[in-house]
Amino acid sequence: MTPKTFKIKSFGCQMNVYDGERMSELLAAQGMAAAADGEDADLVVLNTCHIREKAAEKAYSDIGRLRRDDGTKPLIALAGCVAQAEGAEARRRSQMIDIVVGPQAYHRLPEMVAEASRGARPVDTDMPAISKFDAMPQRRRANPSSFLTVQEGCDKFCTYCVVPYTRGAEISRPFDDILSEANALADAGAREIVLLGQNVNAWSHEDLGLADLIRALATIDGLERIRYTTSHPADMTDELIAAHGEVDKLMPYLHLPVQSGSNRILRAMNRSHSAETYLAILEKVRSARPDIALSGDFIVGFPGETDEDFEATLNIVDEVRYASAYSFKYSARPGTPAAVMEDQIPREIMEDRLQRLQERINLHQLAFNRSKVGVDTRILIERAGKLPGQMIGRSPWLQSVHVETDARPGDLVDVTLVAAGPNSIAGALRQKVAA
Ligand code: 5AD
Ligand code: SF4
């Protein structure tokens, strides 16, 4: 039976959120309707993440929970990076899966759903040369802050990472396609666009780089803010750094993962930068845009990491004074070089290091937030807060700001930042900005 309603659950990174939105638009274009919250759907798409073991295992425990009390189940599509990594093997792990569709093949989801409705069990983990984006309907809905994938895949092969295997080789979408999608998003009400890519600053088209793309997007009326994530230090060009000082709509925020502060570990990770070259890049970024909020990613417990290596990581956190940062325990991923390295670190040591690192990061995060108290700034309202009359928006530095206002999502409002916690800031309303 052909499903009438669907539900898409996305896990993991922002690109999965974007892919989830696109799959939803594809299914809607076929006449299917999104199931309401709490409502049973005929088709469930699990858009999965494979980056760490815990995320990957979650896919299977979620599938188990889809069996209904009466013994029936919805049509189940395993999408995303677990689907890509495991392919047909996934169905050997769970017979409940009807469709396996990788991140480069989801433009075929509607026809695969039709096949599955006729009792087939389609699997597609191809990475075709033609772009899936060409097969996608025009964008008609947008969030105040909308994601836009401009680049996918990675050629860097950090030794711990599955991305080069699950998302494939680096590929950039053409300039004109991105501009037309950005215009459609702006027409549908987006005030901010977040450019996405596993290595977004490696985006290139003919002789253009990400800085050129950002400058072009900045000319779109109604679009007020531009961000991009995630970047690699090796692709942090002088042009991109200069754009941070010159393009007003480019927000003062940069997520630039370093992973470790130890050069020995960075070499073993195949990161192609040292602690020193990374810091030198940030120095340049800070001279182009002195107020920039810096963010990063860290892995603790990479094979062979000693106490001394870990101290170097704490040191680089102190040196950079991150406005925010994400940190993870190393997770061995099948097929990656690091998974078979000697001297894997015991779990207790990883847990202890992660806790110490997160405490240190939190200190800097709080200090950064406190440094903004008293500052007048503009926030983009994204959603309602928990308290009546309270709305939540983002500052230019990506802080969550709570403010009492009758402004709606998508409005820009001017506030004074009045009190800071580690994860959010209170703002006092000054005025709403005319659209
Ligand atoms: N184990 C732990 N963390 C990982 N990351 C990527 N691969 C692994 C892994 N095998 C982290 C990196 C990356 C972020 C998206 O996830 O810090 O920047
Ligand atoms: Fe993974 Fe390294 Fe590529 Fe980032 S740069 S996606 S960590 S291989």
Side-chain angles (χ1 to χ4, degrees):
M1 201 189 66
T2 314
K4 293 191 179 62
T5 60
F6 67 87
K7 180 165 287 179
I8 297 180
K9 289 177 71 179
S10 290
F11 306 93
C13 66
Q14 291 150 319
M15 195 176 288
N16 265 13
V17 175
Y18 174 87
D19 289 346
E21 288 168 3
R22 301 312 306 264
M23 285 190 265
S24 167
E25 291 162 352
L26 268 174
L27 296 174
Q30 301 292 311
M32 278 178 245
D37 271 352
E39 193 196 328
D40 218 30
D42 302 333
L43 165 69
V44 175
V45 180
L46 295 173
N47 192 19
T48 58
C49 172
H50 200 245
I51 195 95
R52 285 169 288 275
E53 189 181 356
K54 224 163 120 188
E57 288 308 314
K58 187 164 183 355
Y60 290 97
S61 58
D62 272 38
I63 291 169
R65 259 180 266 123
L66 290 174
R67 195 180 296 284
R68 302 184 184 116
D69 293 342
D70 63 3
T72 63
K73 67 165 201 63
L75 210 59
I76 297 175
L78 185 74
C81 292
V82 174
Q84 187 65 40
E86 303 194 350
E89 193 60 37
R91 196 166 299 111
R92 276 187 275 280
R93 282 194 63 179
S94 173
Q95 300 275 330
M96 287 173 70
I97 300 169
D98 300 290
I99 296 167
V100 179
V101 59
Q104 305 308 337
Y106 66 68
H107 55 293
R108 290 200 52 240
L109 184 59
E111 63 184 280
M112 294 173 83
V113 169
E115 288 167 33
S117 310
R118 295 192 296 267
R121 292 288 171 267
V123 175
D124 192 344
T125 53
D126 283 355
M127 295 192 176
I130 54 151
S131 165
K132 68 185 171 204
F133 296 104
D134 295 344
M136 228 70 79
Q138 172 75 277
R139 309 220 60 178
R140 294 209 169 76
R141 290 182 50 194
N143 296 318
S145 174
S146 287
F147 294 136
L148 201 179
T149 293
V150 303
Q151 179 279 340
E152 273 191 75
C154 184
D155 296 337
K156 302 281 193 292
F157 291 94
C158 299
T159 53
Y160 50 81
C161 187
V162 287
V163 166
Y165 313 98
T166 56
R167 290 276 173 171
E170 240 170 67
I171 146 164
S172 292
R173 290 180 68 189
F175 180 84
D176 289 346
D177 292 8
I178 296 167
L179 236 53
S180 98
E181 187 170 332
N183 273 301
L185 287 169
D187 288 345
R191 309 302 299 277
E192 171 174 290
I193 284 184
V194 185
L195 303 175
L196 297 183
Q198 267 90 29
N199 246 310
V200 70
N201 59 341
W203 180 86
S204 70
H205 180 76
E206 292 163 358
D207 54 357
L208 303 175
L210 188 64
D212 305 298
L213 180 61
I214 289 169
R215 287 177 198 272
L217 292 169
T219 65
I220 297 178
D221 279 343
L223 190 64
E224 298 298 329
R225 297 177 159 201
I226 301 165
R227 303 181 186 275
Y228 61 93
T229 197
T230 284
S231 295
H232 192 286
D235 298 308
M236 209 61 218
T237 61
D238 287 344
E239 289 76 19
L240 185 54
I241 294 173
H244 274 283
E246 292 166 9
V247 181
D248 289 343
K249 290 184 182 179
L250 181 58
M251 291 292 102
Y253 178 93
L254 174 66
H255 182 244
L256 196 66
V258 65
Q259 313 296 358
S260 167
S262 155
N263 288 338
R264 209 177 61 80
I265 295 295
L266 288 170
R267 266 193 305 277
M269 287 175 162
N270 190 32
R271 280 295 292 182
S272 83
H273 59 79
S274 64
E276 293 74 22
T277 56
Y278 174 81
L279 289 170
I281 294 166
L282 294 188
E283 210 46 57
K284 282 205 245 175
V285 175
R286 273 193 165 131
S287 47
R289 181 77 206 220
D291 71 331
I292 198 149
L294 296 170
S295 173
D297 288 348
F298 292 91
I299 295 174
V300 298
F302 184 84
E305 186 187 69
T306 62
D307 285 338
E308 208 183 338
D309 294 319
F310 176 65
E311 287 300 324
T313 295
L314 292 177
N315 287 342
I316 206 165
V317 169
D318 288 342
E319 195 133 349
V320 175
R321 292 169 282 115
Y322 287 97
S324 77
Y326 305 88
S327 47
F328 311 98
K329 282 180 279 188
Y330 168 74
S331 170
R333 308 308 293 126
T336 61
V340 291
M341 284 181 188
E342 282 172 20
D343 206 3
Q344 302 277 327
I345 305 297
R347 191 152 53 99
E348 311 79 71
I349 295 185
M350 281 208 249
E351 275 161 8
D352 178 61
R353 286 180 186 166
L354 185 68
Q355 198 189 342
R356 288 175 60 200
L357 176 59
Q358 290 184 338
E359 277 166 15
R360 194 69 66 95
I361 289 168
N362 288 344
L363 283 179
H364 291 290
Q365 197 164 312
L366 182 60
F368 181 85
N369 287 347
R370 284 194 173 144
S371 76
K372 296 295 179 201
V373 170
V375 169
D376 290 345
T377 190
R378 184 164 286 184
I379 64 171
L380 173 61
I381 300 290
E382 292 189 352
R383 60 194 164 89
K386 283 202 187 103
L387 303 176
Q390 186 189 58
M391 299 299 285
I392 299 177
R394 296 275 190 177
S395 76
W397 309 281
L398 205 64
Q399 297 151 304
S400 265
V401 180
H402 301 233
V403 60
E404 253 180 64
T405 169
D406 59 5
R408 310 310 313 156
D411 289 341
L412 288 158
V413 300
D414 285 336
V415 300
T416 305
L417 301 176
V418 291
N423 299 313
S424 68
I425 296 215
L429 184 68
R430 286 188 297 127
Q431 60 176 345
K432 226 192 289 184
V433 181

